Amino acid sequence: MKKKFEIKKLFTATNILIVILLIIYLLDRFLPFPEGYTGYNAWIEDAPPAFNYIFGSCGGLLTNYMARGEILENGTAIYRSITLMFLHGHILHLIANLVGLYFIGNYAEKRFGWWLAYIIYFAVGFIESFITDPLFLAIAPSQSAIVTEQPSMGASGGIFGLIGASLATIFFDLKSFKKIGLPTIIVVGIYGFLTTYVVSFGWTTVCHNVAFFLGLTFGTLIVLPFFLLKKGKFAPAAPQPQATETPQADGAPADAQIEEQTDNDTPAAEN
């Protein structure tokens, strides 16, 4: 029997965030600039207009006020370490993060609850934004242009934070790995590899490694007390007692055996 589809199941915090990210991307990329605007512009002069429109390189109004980076006026303001997580630089950047967020975010939401999952998401993204740039510049000073000449934006830091936190829960409850859907496992593997080692090897490697280990740390700090106290949602599952069955004679029902035993226990009548 097929289960009846319930539309309310679509209204998760993750799916709502996905819609918000999509709307903000469209506004950022296609809102016209106000008259006299001199801020950030994503338009690529050397590319055909069709390329700019298709890949979303034709705007950047919200990027100018919400992204983080030295190239932007007041670009290192603290609030930008949160608002940058709502922005994406081009259509492929957006698609990769929305697909990753759909599978990873919904899984983390089920494991932690929506509010705790997204405290981790935004906390990791916020902290990571202060660590990544200095660390990358220390490792690869010759690549400083990546940091100084480009705005920083994207949801991948928070997503990698959720991956790390979710993995921490699996360490403490290995059996829970069996409950993860195969599509989620496949997407996590592909997403992690593509966004870290294919799209922009170097800076993103540092970014995602930092976010992953922050998420792993947050997840461990959340799960460990419950595990040690053996109480609450993240406590180790108690072993289930196994039911014992009374052995029965071949081909004889239990009721018949009871009746037979009763007859045998009755004293024989004296002759």
Side-chain angles (χ1 to χ4, degrees):
M1 183 178 179
K2 287 186 177 181
K3 293 183 179 180
K4 187 178 178 181
F5 176 74
E6 297 181 19
I7 194 169
K8 66 180 181 180
K9 290 184 177 180
L10 295 175
F11 290 93
T12 64
T14 297
N15 293 346
I16 292 171
L17 179 59
I18 286 173
V19 173
I20 292 172
L21 294 180
L22 179 58
I23 292 172
I24 289 179
Y25 173 80
L26 294 174
L27 292 175
D28 181 41
R29 296 291 119 176
F30 301 106
L31 272 178
F33 294 123
E35 187 177 351
Y37 175 81
T38 58
Y40 176 79
N41 188 341
W43 188 273
I44 302 174
E45 295 291 344
D46 298 335
F51 177 92
N52 282 282
Y53 282 104
I54 291 172
F55 288 94
S57 300
C58 55
L61 185 62
L62 297 185
T63 294
N64 189 61
Y65 300 106
M66 295 171 63
R68 181 180 175 87
E70 296 179 16
I71 192 176
L72 305 171
E73 184 179 356
N74 196 31
T76 57
I78 291 179
Y79 77 88
R80 291 176 181 264
S81 294
I82 290 291
T83 56
L84 69 83
M85 300 177 70
F86 292 93
L87 300 167
H88 293 88
H90 49 77
I91 190 66
L92 297 179
H93 187 198
L94 175 74
I95 291 172
N97 278 348
L98 293 193
V99 172
L101 183 61
Y102 176 79
F103 287 94
I104 299 161
N106 276 302
Y107 172 76
E109 195 172 333
K110 290 177 183 177
R111 288 292 281 163
F112 292 98
W114 71 268
W115 62 273
L116 185 54
Y118 282 95
I119 285 177
I120 296 172
Y121 174 87
F122 285 107
V124 169
F126 180 80
I127 297 171
E128 173 264 324
S129 70
F130 292 99
I131 299 174
T132 300
D133 289 354
L135 184 59
F136 177 65
L137 290 174
I139 295 172
S142 62
Q143 302 295 320
S144 61
I146 295 177
V147 174
T148 58
E149 298 178 10
Q150 297 180 12
S152 176
M153 66 185 85
S156 58
I159 296 172
F160 270 83
L162 292 180
I163 293 174
S166 299
L167 189 60
T169 65
I170 296 173
F171 285 157
F172 290 98
D173 184 12
L174 292 177
K175 292 181 180 179
S176 66
F177 181 78
K178 297 179 180 179
K179 299 178 182 178
I180 305 175
L182 184 60
T184 300
I185 296 173
I186 293 173
V187 167
V188 170
I190 295 174
Y191 175 82
F193 178 75
L194 288 180
T195 59
T196 302
Y197 297 106
V198 175
V199 177
S200 179
F201 183 80
W203 185 83
T204 53
T205 303
V206 177
C207 167
H208 296 155
N209 286 346
V210 169
F212 174 78
F213 283 106
L214 282 173
L216 197 63
T217 302
F218 272 83
T220 301
L221 291 176
I222 291 167
V223 175
L224 186 59
F226 293 93
F227 187 85
L228 294 177
L229 296 173
K230 298 184 179 180
K231 292 181 180 179
K233 179 178 178 181
F234 301 107
Q240 297 294 327
Q242 295 182 350
T244 56
E245 296 182 0
T246 305
Q248 300 178 8
D250 292 344
D255 292 340
Q257 292 187 47
I258 294 172
E259 290 179 8
E260 182 180 344
Q261 185 178 3
T262 304
D263 292 339
N264 293 337
D265 293 342
T266 304
E270 293 180 0
N271 290 334

